[in-house]
Structures are given as C-alpha cells and as structure tokens.
Amino acid sequence: MTVLQEDMIGLLEPINSRITDPRYYLTTPHQAAAILKKVGRPNLKLQLDLFHCQIMDGNLSRNLEMYFPLI
C-alpha cells in the first residue's frame, strides 16, 4: 500500500513539565494551538492528552470545548 503525503496527519502533543519531562518544549494546549494557527496546515492536528492537560491546566471541560476543533 502506498501512503501519499497528502493522506498523512501530523500531531502536536503538549506534555506536562511538572511530572513527565521538565525539559519538554511544548507544555500547554494554548502553545500548540498557536503553532497550529501559525503553520495553517489542515493535516496538522492537536493531540490533546487529557492526563497532561489536567496536570498543566486543569479544567478539562473548558479545554475540550476550546480545543476540540483542533483535535
């Protein structure tokens, strides 16, 4: 099977810097959303890991509502 580049989806995943990796550069959905907006590619999406989101920001229902269009 040949996979065309147009069929590929890239994901940005913010990871918490409090527990998992204090050196990781992308730690909030807000940062990832800004990158997605700047890049402007429809095949680049947000991987919203609820564990990392809760650790860094809490308020999961607000974050899910806000970032759902980017997932």
Side-chain angles (χ1 to χ4, degrees):
M1 180 173 132
T2 303
V3 177
L4 300 175
Q5 191 171 10
E6 297 83 29
D7 294 336
M8 297 179 80
I9 295 176
L11 298 172
L12 290 180
E13 181 182 11
I15 294 179
N16 80 81
S17 59
R18 294 185 182 143
I19 297 171
T20 304
D21 188 349
R23 300 162 295 154
Y24 195 71
Y25 69 97
L26 185 61
T27 59
T28 68
H30 181 74
Q31 291 171 315
I35 292 170
L36 292 172
K37 183 178 179 182
K38 188 168 188 169
V39 172
R41 300 293 301 182
N43 62 330
L44 187 58
K45 305 284 185 185
L46 171 64
Q47 181 171 324
L48 189 63
D49 186 305
L50 298 182
F51 168 76
H52 296 298
C53 189
Q54 176 65 26
I55 296 296
M56 292 305 290
D57 190 46
N59 204 348
L60 290 178
S61 48
R62 178 184 59 86
N63 282 317
L64 280 169
E65 185 177 312
M66 181 180 298
Y67 298 114
F68 189 76
L70 301 175
I71 297 173

